[in-house]
Amino acid sequence: MINRTVLVGRLTKDPNLRYTPNGVAVANFTIAVNRPFTNQQGDQEADFVNCVIWRAPAENLAKYMTKGSLIGVDGRIQTRNFEGQDGKTVFVTEVLAGSVQFLESKNKSSASNQKQESPSDTNPLEGHGEPIDISDDDLPF
C-alpha cells in the first residue's frame, strides 16, 4: 500500500510553531495549492491543505518561511479524531510532512505578497531570438 503526497503551494499564514511537554517542536501550517484548471467563470481555484511537521524541520520552516512563501511538501495523508468541546467526535485529515522544501528565497516571498504576476503577464521567450519553424512531426511528444 502506498500513502504518499507531494504538494507545491504557498503558505496561507505564518507556520504555527509549538513544543510538546517533552520539548519536541511541531509546526502546523496550511498551503494553498492551485487546481490545474479554471472554473466556468475562468478563475483558477485552490485547495487549502492542512499540514503538520515535527522536530528540526518544523523549527526551520517557522524560522525561514512566512505567509506567501512557496514551498514543496513531501509526506503522507493521515487521519485522526478527538472529542470536541461539545462532546462530539471531530475528524481531522492532514498531511504529515516528512520534508519541506523552500522553493524561493525569503526576499522573493515577501515581494510575491505585494504583487503576484500570473504566467500570462510575462513572456519567458520575449527578446530571446527569432521564432522557430518546426513541424508537428518533429516534436518528440
Side-chain angles (χ1 to χ4, degrees):
M1 292 180 240
I2 298 173
N3 179 357
R4 183 164 186 203
T5 303
V6 178
L7 302 167
V8 173
R10 293 195 180 275
L11 288 169
T12 61
K13 57 186 173 189
D14 292 350
N16 180 17
L17 179 66
R18 296 173 288 122
Y19 291 88
T20 68
N22 294 335
V24 179
V26 58
N28 294 83
F29 59 99
T30 303
I31 61 171
V33 180
N34 286 338
R35 293 180 178 172
F37 53 86
T38 57
N39 63 20
Q40 291 180 337
Q41 291 75 35
D43 298 323
Q44 186 161 29
E45 296 178 348
D47 292 298
F48 298 89
V49 182
N50 294 323
C51 304
V52 62
I53 192 164
W54 291 85
R55 297 181 176 75
E59 292 175 318
N60 289 333
L61 179 67
K63 182 176 181 181
Y64 295 110
M65 296 288 108
T66 58
K67 177 181 177 179
S69 297
L70 183 66
I71 62 170
V73 175
D74 189 349
R76 64 180 176 84
I77 301 283
Q78 80 172 8
T79 58
R80 59 186 173 88
N81 61 63
F82 60 91
E83 187 176 312
Q85 292 178 346
D86 59 0
K88 294 183 179 178
T89 302
V90 177
F91 294 92
V92 177
T93 300
E94 59 197 356
V95 172
L96 178 58
S99 68
V100 172
Q101 301 295 314
F102 305 160
L103 300 180
E104 64 186 3
S105 68
K106 197 170 188 176
N107 293 340
K108 284 213 183 248
S109 66
S110 62
S112 70
N113 285 340
Q114 296 167 5
K115 179 185 183 294
Q116 289 187 359
E117 289 184 347
S118 69
S120 61
D121 292 344
T122 61
N123 180 353
L125 301 177
E126 190 172 38
H128 295 287
E130 299 291 320
I132 60 171
D133 184 21
I134 189 167
S135 164
D136 287 347
D137 295 333
D138 294 333
L139 296 173
F141 47 89

